[in-house]
């Protein structure tokens, strides 16, 4: 597999991510107990990412930086709720890191994920561990330490997904309200479904809810 990511590949990733998150939005909604148990985390994250997805549909650019910035702008304009705002900031940080790039290497991806996690934390007055912020950061920290010159794109995405899954499962140990409710963090679960969609798309699998779908409380 070609390990260089261009604008068209990034557009595909965003499509896969949005499709899978949207298909699993109700599952994410049902996990929503923090910070307010209003059952709309999945819907808000889906609407936010959908804003970015729709913003790039008519874009004919194959420049990865321009595609990322356009998607980030669409997400910022359509951000809904706390989870949507944080998701838009995660992607904004990602886009800022690569805005001057025409294509991306695996190393570029790792750096951009790190900048996205940093931006997410900066966007919140009092960051709470055991939330999507923790999941984004821990996923980045794992792939940062995992990636070497032999890592290909498929391996990178699989490792990111598995690290995210592990982090999501651990959120109740970091946030008591989740443990009491017997659920994992909803925002972290939404991020899991975003990465799951990309992984499915890379392997030519149907994106959305299928017989092969897993939940972020199960081993992949």
């Amino acid at each position: 597999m070609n390990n260089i990511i261009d604008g068209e590949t990034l557009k595909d990733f965003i499509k896969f991510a949005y499709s899978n998150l949207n298909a699993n939005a109700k599952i994410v909604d049902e996990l929503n107990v923090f910070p307010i148990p209003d059952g709309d985390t999945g819907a808000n994250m889906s609407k936010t990412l959908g804003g970015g997805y729709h913003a790039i549909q008519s874009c004919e650019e194959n420049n990865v930086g321009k595609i990322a910035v356009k998607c980030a702008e669409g997400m910022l304009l359509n951000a809904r709720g706390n989870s949507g705002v944080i998701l838009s900031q995660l992607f904004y940080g990602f886009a800022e890191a690569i805005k001057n790039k025409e294509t991306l290497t695996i190393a570029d991806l790792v750096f951009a994920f790190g900048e996205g996690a940093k931006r997410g934390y900066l966007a919140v007055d009092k960051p709470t561990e055991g939330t999507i912020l923790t999941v984004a950061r821990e996923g980045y920290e794992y792939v940062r330490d995992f990636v070497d010159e032999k890592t290909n794109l498929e391996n990178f995405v699989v490792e990111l997904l598995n690290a995210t899954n592990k982090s999501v499962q651990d959120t109740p140990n970091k946030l008591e309200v989740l443990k009491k409710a017997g659920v994992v963090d909803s925002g972290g679960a939404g991020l899991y479904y975003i990465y799951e969609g990309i992984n499915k798309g890379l392997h030519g699998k149907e994106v959305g809810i299928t017989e092969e779908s897993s939940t972020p409380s199960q081993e992949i």
Side-chain angles (χ1 to χ4, degrees), residues 43-192:
N44 286 337
M45 291 181 73
S46 181
K47 288 174 183 175
T48 301
L49 185 54
Y53 169 71
H54 294 302
I56 62 174
Q57 288 309 289
S58 60
C59 185
E60 297 180 357
E61 290 278 358
N62 196 29
N63 180 297
V64 73
K66 291 181 179 179
I67 292 293
V69 168
K70 197 169 186 66
C71 181
E73 290 172 347
M75 290 177 68
L76 289 168
L77 287 171
N78 291 275
R80 301 288 188 274
N82 290 331
S83 56
V85 169
I86 293 173
L87 180 62
S88 70
Q89 291 299 313
L90 291 173
F91 197 86
Y92 176 75
F94 179 94
E96 278 290 297
I98 64 171
K99 65 182 180 181
N100 295 318
K101 297 279 187 178
E102 186 171 344
T103 59
L104 300 178
T105 63
I106 301 296
D108 292 330
L109 274 180
V110 173
F111 176 73
F113 274 105
E115 293 302 293
K118 288 179 186 177
R119 182 70 189 187
Y121 273 86
L122 290 172
V124 180
D125 287 337
K126 296 180 180 180
T128 301
E129 296 301 333
T131 66
I132 186 175
L133 295 173
T134 305
V135 175
R137 174 179 56 79
E138 290 184 343
Y140 154 68
E141 289 173 347
Y142 179 84
V143 293
R144 176 196 64 194
D145 297 336
F146 168 83
V147 166
D148 59 27
E149 66 277 1
K150 297 179 181 178
T151 305
N152 62 35
L153 186 56
E154 286 188 349
N155 287 341
F156 172 84
V157 174
V158 167
E159 292 297 328
L160 177 63
L161 180 61
N162 283 325
T164 299
N165 181 51
K166 182 178 179 180
S167 182
V168 171
Q169 290 183 53
D170 195 44
T171 54
N173 295 322
K174 295 182 171 71
L175 195 55
E176 186 64 24
V177 66
L178 299 178
K179 182 173 287 188
K180 286 182 177 179
V183 297
V184 296
D185 178 65
S186 56
L191 193 61
Y192 166 88

Side-chain angles (χ1 to χ4, degrees), residues 190-219:
L191 193 61
Y192 166 88
Y193 285 121
I194 286 172
Y195 297 157
E196 185 192 52
I198 296 171
N199 186 56
K200 285 182 176 179
L202 268 176
H203 289 87
K205 296 179 180 179
E206 183 181 349
V207 176
I209 300 176
T210 69
E211 291 183 359
E212 297 180 353
S213 292
S214 56
T215 70
S217 60
Q218 298 172 334
E219 290 297 336

Side-chain angles (χ1 to χ4, degrees), residues 7-27:
E8 286 301 314
T9 302
L10 182 60
K11 285 175 72 174
D12 284 342
F13 285 0
I14 294 167
K15 177 182 69 176
F16 298 148
Y18 170 60
S19 296
N20 203 60
L21 175 61
N22 191 53
N24 291 281
K26 289 184 178 179
I27 295 174

